[in-house]
Amino acid sequence: GRMEAMDAFVVAQWVLRILLAVVFVAMGALHFVPRVRRGMEAMIPPGLRGTGIRSPRSLVIVSGVAEILGGIGLLAPWEPVRFAAGIGLIALLVAVFPANAYAARNPERFGPMAVPVAPRAVGQVVLGALVLLAAI
């Protein structure tokens, strides 16, 4: 009945939270692997490059930390923390999109990281929707 459906949703939501947490923590950790980090730094479009906190290295490190914290936040027992983590991860998906688009326009330079813009955009929207579902 209705209780079984609610229980199934709660279980599915927890499984989704755990999967997304693993994905975001793992992706965030990759930001600290020197070879991967250098590739990510190169993906930052010239117009977004700056110095200090806006340097490519700083942007990659900050986004890596944000992914790790957001992934962990999805596992918080308190809904306001999960929701804040989810909103933060969705904002991060939006923030990194220009780097993904830049890579897509330069496939000869970025190889497998150069996912075409349309599939990448669809993927980011789906991932954002899953994050929101997990965070509520």
Side-chain angles (χ1 to χ4, degrees):
R2 189 166 187 192
M3 284 305 289
E4 290 85 11
M6 281 302 293
D7 290 344
F9 177 77
V10 169
V11 169
Q13 193 177 38
W14 264 107
V15 169
L16 181 60
R17 277 185 198 133
I18 292 166
L19 289 172
L20 288 171
V22 168
V23 166
F24 278 105
V25 170
M27 290 299 298
L30 282 175
H31 288 62
F32 296 91
V33 175
R35 185 166 169 244
V36 178
R37 189 194 69 234
R38 285 190 297 271
M40 291 178 178
E41 289 171 10
M43 289 172 58
I44 296 173
L48 295 180
R49 293 170 176 270
T51 56
I53 193 66
R54 286 193 50 234
S55 74
R57 177 163 292 181
S58 294
L59 292 172
V60 169
I61 289 171
V62 167
S63 62
V65 169
E67 284 187 60
I68 292 167
L69 293 176
I72 293 168
L74 288 178
L75 300 177
W78 308 285
E79 185 178 341
V81 173
R82 286 194 313 265
F83 187 71
I87 296 302
L89 288 170
I90 291 168
L92 184 66
L93 290 171
V94 171
V96 301
F97 194 77
N100 295 321
Y102 179 71
R105 286 192 303 271
N106 297 279
E108 69 292 335
R109 183 172 175 198
F110 295 105
M113 294 195 307
V115 177
V117 173
R120 171 72 77 168
V122 170
Q124 300 282 77
V125 169
V126 169
L127 186 56
L130 290 172
V131 166
L132 193 57
L133 184 63
I136 57 173

